[in-house]
Amino acid sequence: MTSSARLTEIVADWIVDQQQRPLPEAMDHHVRRLLLDHLAGVVASAPREVSTAVGGHARRMYPGNAATAVGHGRMSVLGAALVNGTNGHGIETDEGYTPGSMHPTSVILPAVFAVAQERGISGSRVLTAAAIGMELACRIAAAGHPATRNRHFHNTPVAGVFGAAAAVSVLYGLDARTTANALGIAGSHASGLFEFLGQSAEVKRFHPGKAARDGIASVDLAAAGLTGPTTILEGKDGYFAAYAGTEGADWDPRIVTTGLGADWVLSNTYVKPYPCCRHLHGAIDAALELRATHRFDAAAIDSVRVGTFAIATKHAGRELDTVLQAQLSLPFTVAVALQRGAVTLTDFDAATRGDADVRALMDTVVVELDAAADAAYPRTGRPADVTITLRDGARYHCRIEQPRGEPSNPLSDAELEAKAQGLVEPVIGADGAKELIAAAWDFDSADVLDVLDSAVRVSLSRQ
């Protein structure tokens, strides 16, 4: 017997048992923080081109009136989950879990919202289901990372689909055996490749929506009687064998099970202060700190060296044809931070991407592997080491072990509210932003999606 024996069944048993218990007070508050962050990202993404494309597809392929796709009205459960999941990841503002390099909210919350709307399920039950699904997604992602990423898989959808299936199993009230079957079916839906990196392939934003949709489908199929392999996680041809490799060397089942039900790893999710890939945030923090401390003129910079962990070094692209390419570029975001003293959503527009001063500064940025940073990631930190040399020979250095927003370096509730307001006020106005913030803290029903959908569509009609 290996340490992974019965892993899927153990997880299914936990899902059924955990839903009978109230969330700890601290976890309930944390889930509401994640809910606020997620809803702000969904609203801010709704008017954008990717949302328009996916929303049009969903209206054609998933017509109905069961659930709400923010900015696109009512459609089927699967369609709403697909659109809202895409929007949740649409502007790179969604939270994440560093040990698993994944974003649980953009997969799990759209899935539970859509099912809850169809079935009229209360807010407290939705939050419990969401917490269970996000906890499992984080643990599965962490158990195989970075082996899964090194095999070119995007952890958010490939691990997230299991979390969506777990959460929706709670809302369906499935027993342990049927839940295990739903997880088994979800394993056949696990997908998402990193080939989008460095290209203008917006399919990255679609990945969480697809996983949310497929998690719901997995549960509905299991409830209808379709069976899936109840060894999907640990089996010799199962998820970890295919996506990570050899047990012990490439993945660790103990990360899935140790403390399950007692220690919520979900509490260690971060919130992003900048709307770009999380792997870039440590370097941005360092650049901003150096700029604020030493008050040099960006035009005086001769060179910028960024040392970081291996996966982050893959984000050194310099093509800026699209917003996504800029949001995945270390040289660009560091240059923006040094040039402007901030990195906001508007800094990824076409004007900034083409700005001559930003481009010139970006050309001075060199991204290198830092062995100590690579050894730390992902278990103990997400480090970045930045050295700036001015034309007069002055050198300034800053090392960030954990970027802003991690649990060890958190955003306060007030700062999170300010982030949300900044994202949604341009879309639904100041009153709409206040309503969204209040609805997240006082969440009692997924009907808030109808309110937000109406506000977004009124805004779009005026443009």
Side-chain angles (χ1 to χ4, degrees):
M1 298 279 284
T2 68
S3 60
S4 65
R6 296 188 59 253
L7 180 59
T8 307
E9 292 183 6
I10 290 169
V11 166
D13 288 342
W14 168 74
I15 293 167
V16 172
D17 178 67
Q18 185 65 53
Q19 64 187 272
Q20 309 305 322
R21 309 176 193 174
L23 289 177
E25 184 177 349
M27 179 50 54
D28 180 87
H29 180 75
H30 187 69
V31 172
R32 292 172 194 270
R33 279 174 56 92
L34 298 181
L35 173 62
L36 170 58
D37 198 52
H38 170 72
L39 290 177
V42 168
V43 168
S45 297
R48 293 178 173 259
E49 291 181 0
V50 172
S51 180
T52 299
V54 175
H57 162 77
R59 282 195 303 274
R60 292 190 301 274
M61 299 298 177
Y62 301 99
N65 195 45
T68 307
V70 174
H72 302 277
R74 285 264 172 165
M75 55 185 67
S76 75
V77 169
L78 297 182
L82 181 69
V83 175
N84 291 333
T86 301
N87 284 348
H89 198 53
I91 53 172
E92 297 294 320
T93 59
D94 42 338
E95 53 43 73
Y97 182 58
T98 292
S101 189
M102 70 93 62
H103 306 278
T105 60
S106 294
V107 180
I108 285 79
L109 289 178
V112 296
F113 286 160
V115 172
Q117 283 190 294
E118 181 193 40
R119 298 188 166 219
I121 297 172
S122 71
S124 62
R125 187 70 171 167
V126 169
L127 294 182
T128 295
I132 289 171
M134 291 190 288
E135 176 77 4
L136 180 61
C138 288
R139 285 174 174 268
I140 289 175
H145 185 66
T148 47
R149 171 62 185 89
N150 291 336
R151 288 188 174 210
H152 317 291
F153 294 112
H154 186 193
N155 287 340
T156 294
V158 300
V161 71
F162 292 105
V168 175
S169 291
V170 173
L171 299 184
Y172 269 58
L174 300 187
D175 60 24
R177 185 66 180 176
T178 312
T179 298
N181 277 299
L183 294 173
I185 296 168
S188 287
H189 284 106
S191 63
L193 296 172
F194 251 99
E195 187 59 20
F196 62 76
L197 188 62
Q199 300 184 30
S200 57
E202 300 279 12
V203 70
K204 175 186 189 289
R205 308 196 191 282
F206 176 79
H207 283 175
K210 177 194 179 302
R213 178 198 65 188
D214 294 347
I216 296 171
S218 298
V219 172
D220 201 63
L221 288 166
L226 186 68
T227 58
T230 57
T231 53
I232 188 62
L233 296 176
E234 73 273 20
K236 66 181 180 63
D237 294 311
Y239 169 78
F240 281 115
Y243 288 75
T246 303
E247 181 181 340
D250 302 308
W251 70 279
D252 186 352
R254 295 172 298 179
I255 293 174
V256 179
T257 59
T258 300
L260 189 61
D263 301 323
W264 289 84
V265 304
L266 181 61
S267 64
N268 294 320
T269 45
Y270 60 78
V271 173
K272 285 184 178 181
Y274 318 117
C276 57
C277 175
R278 185 59 169 172
H279 295 316
L280 319 183
H281 283 217
I284 294 171
D285 282 347
L288 291 174
E289 183 171 324
L290 289 173
R291 185 182 191 273
T293 301
H294 300 288
R295 300 183 179 277
F296 47 74
D297 187 340
I301 294 174
D302 181 68
S303 67
V304 181
R305 176 199 169 277
V306 177
T308 189
F309 49 97
I311 288 176
T313 65
K314 297 178 182 179
H315 292 266
R318 297 175 187 274
E319 294 184 12
L320 303 175
D321 296 332
T322 68
V323 171
L324 181 58
Q325 285 174 320
Q327 289 176 313
L328 298 176
S329 170
L330 252 175
F332 174 76
T333 51
V334 168
V336 168
L338 292 171
Q339 185 73 42
R340 301 189 170 189
V343 179
T344 68
L345 192 56
T346 57
D347 291 316
F348 295 92
D349 61 16
T352 304
R353 299 198 311 271
D355 182 272
D357 292 334
V358 172
R359 286 274 190 165
L361 187 52
M362 185 179 77
D363 288 342
T364 72
V365 179
V366 176
V367 180
E368 300 174 342
L369 178 67
D370 182 294
D374 199 44
Y377 178 82
R379 301 292 176 233
T380 61
R382 200 190 285 256
D385 194 278
V386 174
T387 300
I388 294 174
T389 303
L390 304 185
R391 292 198 175 97
D392 64 6
R395 298 184 71 200
Y396 305 111
H397 170 261
C398 179
R399 186 176 185 87
I400 298 293
E401 296 296 337
Q402 288 283 22
R404 188 91 168 91
E406 293 287 339
S408 61
N409 188 15
L411 297 184
S412 68
D413 287 352
E415 288 173 316
L416 179 58
E417 289 183 9
K419 173 191 171 180
Q421 184 172 352
L423 289 175
V424 305
E425 192 169 311
V427 181
I428 60 175
D431 289 342
K434 290 178 183 177
E435 189 168 10
L436 183 152
I437 292 167
W441 291 129
D442 301 326
F443 181 77
D444 60 4
S445 168
D447 290 345
V448 64
L449 296 182
D450 288 316
V451 176
L452 297 176
D453 171 58
S454 176
V456 170
R457 288 196 287 159
V458 167
S459 174
L460 292 176
S461 70
R462 292 170 176 168
Q463 295 179 4

